[in-house]
Amino acid sequence: MFVDQVKVYIKAGDGGDGLVAYRREKYVPMGGPAGGDGGNGGDIIFKVDEGLNTLMDLRYNRHYKAKRGENGMSKNQHGKNSAPLVVSVPPGTTVTDSASGEVLADLTQHDQEAVIAQGGRGGRGNVRFATARNPAPEIAEKGEPGQEREVNVELKLIADVGLVGFPSVGKSTLLSVVSAAKPKIADYHFTTLAPNLGVVQTKDQRSFVMADLPGLIEGAHEGVGLGHQFLRHVDRTRVIVHVIDMAGTEGRDPYDDYVKINHELYQYDDSLRNRPQVIAANKMDMPDAEANLDAFKSQLEEDYPIFPISAVTQTGLRDLLFAVADTLDTIPKYTLELEDEKTEEKVVYKHEKKSDAFKITRDPDGAYVLSGEKIEKLFKMTDLTREESAQRFARQLRGMGIDDALRKRGAKDGDTIRLLEFEFEFID
Ligand SMILES: Nc1nc2c(ncn2[C@@H]2O[C@H](COP(=O)(O)OP(=O)(O)OP(=O)(O)O)[C@@H](O)[C@H]2O)c(=O)[nH]1
Ligand SMILES: [Mg+2]
């Protein structure tokens, strides 16, 4: 089965905790601070492996967690950073944050990589908090939590050539006779439910990847039929091979078919007008095909090359494939559509928008509730069991303007303040 869309949960490693420790030396009863920093947690990296062509591996493993950093150690030794967790994906993979819809990466070339979730920074050990006034502080940070998110991983086929046409015109049959692919073939509509890929080799040893796409019908661009979700694959093919049932075996007019399919393509994406097209006039082994082809040629306005073929009797294929390979030789490897996308490099990785540092709400019992990414992170990195750490945390809250904001909201001495699972009293 061809897999092209998977949702996975990823969690980068948390940073290791910083340590509170002191030097112990002969004749020095209480030495200076010696607690090292925690190591950084592992990132989660998506990396292109051009040997892959499906997202099958991700389907079987929906959870990815990178290791946390090592805790800081005594004698001011840093904990080890954790290695990133590398997830291999095929070229043509895009990664989107499920919650925000933001595109995190668009990976197209071999070995290209992008950090999809950032590991947490290691917490600082007490060495780093020493000052002239406080030479032996009892403060260490806990590790920063690693980023976690759910992402949509989507594979757009990077096929050089896409076979496009009405159902049952012989797209799968054609792919099956020009490549080693074994798509299902039958005389009912929508036999092909997912794209099939095949590597085609021409008689003069050129090769390209051909995709057999599900049949399109009128209204496909608005979601009618099955073709719609695969129209986007057409977007990334460099050449369109438009397959037409020239025998009109189902009673439709071949030229009419041609016009309707192109209309669907251009409604979906107008720039497809500029995509090179080669017409494969199929089923030429049938009685009326010759006459229909003459009529078709006289109506055709565009100067796309036409190749009369029969997929079933395997005639005319050599010239068709030569023409496709010749056309491919004239266009760069990655599609035009890709080139005029926003970036020169194909990786997009934006850091999240800065959210508000904190928010104050009220619980039904009257307590003030603090929330927000920054304040919660600060909280998680604070070891509240240590008096000095707790005092530092209180100073940080003040520095962020939280005390003032609480006062403005009406908080009085002794009121309850809640932050995640923690409660404390407001002291004015
Ligand atoms: N006579 C004749 N029949 C053909 C030819 N090519 C395909 N067919 C027949 O047409 C029918 C449909 O072929 P498929 O290859 O499954 O068509 P498709 O375009 O992939 O159809 P969907 O996957 O449903 O969109 C089958 O019964 C084929 O045997 C041909 O060149 N000549
Ligand atoms: Mg098919």
Side-chain angles (χ1 to χ4, degrees):
M1 190 182 86
F2 180 81
V3 176
D4 73 346
Q5 233 171 358
V6 187
K7 204 173 254 195
V8 293
Y9 166 83
I10 57 178
K11 165 92 175 72
D14 298 337
D17 297 340
L19 182 74
V20 171
Y22 301 96
R23 272 201 306 270
R24 251 178 284 167
E25 289 162 14
K26 262 183 187 170
Y27 315 121
V28 183
M30 177 69 157
D37 298 348
N40 298 332
D43 294 336
I44 293 192
I45 290 178
F46 278 44
K47 183 173 180 181
V48 176
D49 176 349
E50 73 188 358
L52 297 173
N53 54 22
T54 73
L55 297 173
M56 200 57 107
D57 298 349
L58 278 77
R59 177 134 299 191
Y60 289 117
N61 187 4
R62 304 287 191 99
H63 284 76
Y64 292 88
K65 275 179 94 166
K67 288 213 179 79
R68 73 188 300 265
E70 237 175 49
N71 290 340
M73 290 166 289
S74 58
K75 296 182 186 157
N76 194 18
Q77 290 183 80
H78 286 218
K80 274 206 199 75
N81 297 337
S82 278
L85 177 72
V86 179
V87 179
S88 295
V89 294
T93 298
T94 52
V95 186
T96 316
D97 185 286
S98 300
S100 69
E102 184 191 0
V103 176
L104 303 172
D106 185 355
L107 299 158
T108 56
Q109 281 159 57
H110 189 55
D111 280 343
Q112 205 179 8
E113 52 179 57
V115 175
I116 303 299
Q118 207 133 38
R121 173 175 68 76
R124 287 173 291 180
N126 70 337
V127 172
R128 309 270 233 108
F129 293 95
T131 57
R133 270 178 43 209
N134 187 2
E138 211 194 314
I139 301 178
E141 276 172 338
K142 297 208 270 188
E144 179 188 30
Q147 228 176 11
E148 66 188 296
R149 57 184 6 155
E150 193 179 50
V151 292
N152 262 336
V153 187
E154 200 181 88
L155 173 64
K156 283 199 187 183
L157 292 183
I158 300 191
D160 302 298
V161 179
L163 297 177
V164 166
F166 266 87
S168 299
V169 296
K171 300 180 295 299
S172 299
T173 311
L174 176 56
L175 182 75
S176 75
V177 295
V178 299
S179 77
K182 301 256 172 291
K184 190 172 167 196
I185 293 163
D187 60 2
Y188 54 84
H189 286 192
F190 302 120
T191 310
T192 303
L193 298 174
N196 298 294
L197 286 184
V199 178
V200 177
Q201 191 138 54
T202 56
K203 289 267 183 315
D204 59 352
Q205 306 304 312
R206 287 178 288 173
S207 76
F208 51 84
V209 178
M210 186 181 262
D212 159 34
L213 303 169
L216 295 172
I217 54 173
E218 264 186 287
H221 74 275
E222 291 166 325
V224 180
L226 292 167
H228 176 252
Q229 61 187 120
F230 299 109
L231 270 169
R232 63 199 159 88
H233 294 307
V234 180
D235 248 354
R236 288 206 172 179
T237 61
R238 293 150 67 208
V239 172
I240 292 170
V241 171
H242 195 147
V243 184
I244 291 167
D245 176 355
M246 206 47 85
T249 43
E250 298 186 357
R252 296 186 313 265
D253 173 60
Y255 185 70
D256 227 42
D257 276 12
Y258 166 81
V259 172
K260 280 181 177 149
I261 293 293
N262 277 342
H263 178 75
E264 293 305 322
L265 296 180
Y266 306 156
Q267 286 294 304
Y268 175 74
D269 179 358
D270 197 57
S271 75
L272 286 171
R273 284 177 197 281
N274 309 320
R275 201 63 49 90
Q277 210 174 99
V278 174
I279 298 172
N282 193 31
K283 306 200 183 179
M284 291 306 292
D285 56 289
M286 300 281 282
D288 294 330
E290 248 354 297
N292 287 343
L293 179 61
D294 288 341
F296 184 91
K297 280 182 175 163
S298 66
Q299 290 174 87
L300 188 68
E301 286 162 13
E302 297 80 5
D303 54 2
Y304 295 142
I306 306 177
F307 292 87
I309 63 164
S310 167
V312 160
T313 64
Q314 306 199 19
T315 46
L317 303 178
R318 181 174 161 276
D319 290 344
L320 170 69
L321 299 184
F322 276 162
V324 171
D326 289 346
T327 314
L328 284 170
D329 285 344
T330 65
I331 22 185
K333 186 80 186 164
Y334 292 94
T335 63
L336 309 161
E337 184 258 336
L338 280 175
E339 246 125 12
D340 52 35
E341 261 175 29
K342 52 251 166 200
T343 45
E344 323 67 62
E345 313 142 66
K346 308 291 186 339
V347 177
V348 193
Y349 177 65
K350 293 178 225 130
H351 287 275
E352 262 124 295
K353 287 170 242 87
K354 288 267 173 289
S355 47
D356 284 343
F358 65 90
K359 218 170 68 192
I360 299 174
T361 50
R362 299 291 295 270
D363 267 355
D365 64 354
Y368 294 83
V369 181
L370 291 175
S371 60
E373 207 182 317
K374 186 174 173 195
I375 172 82
E376 285 171 18
K377 187 185 277 183
L378 205 61
F379 173 75
K380 287 180 185 160
M381 292 177 72
T382 302
D383 178 2
L384 289 167
T385 61
R386 291 180 190 279
E387 180 62 25
E388 278 190 55
S389 290
Q391 283 169 8
R392 175 169 175 263
F393 182 61
R395 280 198 304 278
Q396 284 169 318
L397 295 196
R398 222 172 300 132
M400 284 169 71
I402 291 178
D403 286 27
D404 285 342
L406 281 168
R407 223 170 272 126
K408 271 207 199 95
R409 283 286 302 244
K412 302 253 163 357
D413 213 44
D415 283 351
T416 304
I417 313 293
R418 241 171 236 144
L419 171 53
L420 295 172
E421 66 277 23
F422 187 69
E423 265 185 14
F424 50 98
E425 254 178 38
F426 186 66
I427 299 165
D428 210 359

